[in-house]
Amino acid sequence: MTVASAPGKIILLGEHGVVYGEPCLSVAIDVRVGIEMENGEEFTVNGRKMDSRRHTYIKHTVEKLWKGEPLEITTFSKIPSASGLGSSAAVTVATVACLLKMNDTFTLEETAKKSFEIEYEVQGGGSPNDTSACTYGSAILLSNEEKDGFVWKISQQEKNWFVYPIDIPDIKLVIGMTGIKSKTKKQVEKVRKFVKYSSFARELTEEMGSLVLEGERALKKRDFTRLGEIMNEDQKILHTLGASSLELEKLISSALKAGAYGAKLTGAGGGGSMIALTDEHEKTAMAIEKAGGRAMVVSISHEGVKVWD
Ligand code: MEV
């Protein structure tokens, strides 16, 4: 039997902009998925025949990476699906890690590379951000600039992404879930149309990129006041790009009223989740719940994907 587990992720700054090659700052969170695989009579997932609608990412991964006997696959997940918290990226990363291990070719870089290919094929676009965060754990910065210290890089359609691990203090964040599904493919398409036809929208993604780099400096200095302000500015841009929603705005303003340094949507938006940076986790979580969201306090997961057999 081979077993893998991978963390979910939240994007602190830079979602959507990263699709166009702008920087993005993400952290892995201590909410994980697990995958178990063993030989069986036919390909199944949680006791049901594997099918491309219900098990889209797993089936695509198996078809791409596995030439052996049928597999019985079992999944465990603490990450709510379509919540903007990286559930599909984590499932993909854990599935890839299991199959690479069974093929004797497991490395973190190969896991990140294959997982991005799979997400890109299934979603018809996107960046390597989510799959890299779930692979490496802790915090990562994606940048189009080549410097020392990147763990892997990829070029796609004239864009370059270099993935850098970054030091992160042991912070906790409050997540507020709207309960409305966030559909990454649809959201990325919506923003893409705007960016394609409007130079104003393109400028906003560039401004977002500068905010991410300033946010990374604030995080390194543990300047949470400035980081919170930057999160709020990033949220304004995401709102203008059409990535937010009424429900998200309501949870964001409840967290700010409760005294958070900053709050913004995380992931593709439209529904899904928001995050708040605060010292007062319980007070902020209660304010989010009062505003109709489901709150969760999370820590950074310093462990990325893990695989055993
Ligand atoms: C989704 O979690 C993040 C987006 O930037 C899409 C992507 O990077 O692939 C919206």
Side-chain angles (χ1 to χ4, degrees):
M1 181 188 290
T2 306
V3 183
S5 108
K9 66 91 198 46
I10 50 185
I11 299 179
L12 277 184
L13 294 165
E15 50 274 268
H16 288 289
V18 68
V19 175
Y20 311 99
E22 294 298 328
C24 186
L25 181 60
S26 303
V27 297
I29 51 174
D30 59 348
V31 188
R32 302 179 73 91
V33 302
I35 301 265
E36 252 178 40
M37 292 191 188
E38 55 192 332
N39 288 338
E41 301 280 292
E42 59 169 350
F43 285 96
T44 59
V45 179
N46 299 330
R48 296 172 112 141
K49 198 169 154 45
M50 184 163 73
D51 92 74
S52 48
R53 198 182 52 83
R54 201 175 272 119
H55 316 117
T56 316
Y57 291 90
I58 295 178
K59 186 157 189 279
H60 197 88
T61 309
V62 169
E63 284 169 357
K64 202 174 161 87
L65 299 183
W66 185 243
K67 304 272 174 278
E69 299 291 303
L71 297 168
E72 281 176 10
I73 301 173
T74 310
T75 66
F76 314 87
S77 182
K78 293 273 181 211
I79 311 173
S81 68
S83 59
L85 303 177
S87 67
S88 58
V91 164
T92 306
V93 164
T95 309
V96 167
C98 262
L99 294 172
L100 292 180
K101 181 86 180 166
M102 286 153 68
N103 287 333
D104 276 331
T105 53
F106 172 79
T107 62
L108 286 180
E109 183 176 342
E110 194 57 12
T111 304
K113 186 167 176 275
K114 287 282 178 293
S115 302
F116 169 54
E117 283 173 18
I118 287 151
E119 271 225 326
Y120 195 89
E121 286 158 13
V122 171
Q123 294 180 359
S127 81
N129 181 71
D130 297 7
T131 41
S132 295
C134 299
T135 301
Y136 287 96
S138 273
I140 58 160
L141 178 80
L142 258 68
S143 161
N144 53 12
E145 222 184 284
E146 179 168 0
K147 290 183 287 183
D148 285 344
F150 64 85
V151 282
W152 84 287
K153 65 171 178 175
I154 176 109
S155 303
Q156 189 103 346
Q157 295 189 338
E158 294 163 25
K159 286 178 301 272
N160 297 309
W161 288 289
F162 295 88
V163 179
Y164 297 90
I166 59 167
D167 266 348
I168 179 143
D170 253 330
I171 50 171
K172 284 186 175 165
L173 288 142
V174 182
I175 294 176
M177 289 169 275
T178 59
I180 298 164
K181 287 199 182 306
S182 171
K183 300 198 171 118
T184 304
K185 191 174 172 176
K186 198 173 135 216
Q187 286 291 106
V188 168
E189 261 325 293
K190 183 179 174 191
V191 174
R192 191 195 301 282
K193 276 191 196 137
F194 192 18
V195 172
K196 191 168 169 193
Y197 296 112
S198 154
S199 57
F200 170 61
R202 277 195 297 282
E203 277 163 26
L204 286 180
T205 63
E206 285 160 22
E207 196 181 322
M208 188 186 261
S210 314
L211 284 175
V212 174
L213 297 179
E214 206 192 328
E216 189 213 351
R217 290 192 290 273
L219 182 66
K220 274 192 180 144
K221 286 194 273 178
R222 291 168 167 61
D223 183 350
F224 297 129
T225 306
R226 182 65 194 132
L227 181 57
E229 285 165 3
I230 293 171
M231 286 169 73
N232 295 338
E233 286 177 44
D234 191 26
Q235 173 60 24
K236 279 192 205 138
I237 297 180
L238 287 163
H239 183 270
T240 310
L241 289 173
S244 196
S245 70
L246 270 178
E247 294 79 4
L248 282 165
E249 294 295 329
K250 205 168 153 200
L251 302 190
I252 289 166
S253 87
S254 73
L256 292 174
K257 277 193 201 125
Y261 294 113
K264 61 177 278 292
L265 69 82
T266 189
S273 306
M274 49 72 67
I275 50 169
L277 179 68
T278 177
D279 295 327
E280 300 198 71
H281 306 110
E282 294 314 317
K283 184 177 169 200
T284 309
M286 272 166 68
I288 288 172
E289 298 248 338
K290 224 169 146 194
R294 223 184 94 214
M296 188 160 74
V297 180
V298 293
S299 303
I300 310 292
S301 168
H302 292 289
E303 253 184 10
V305 66
K306 291 265 141 200
V307 60
W308 311 262
D309 54 11

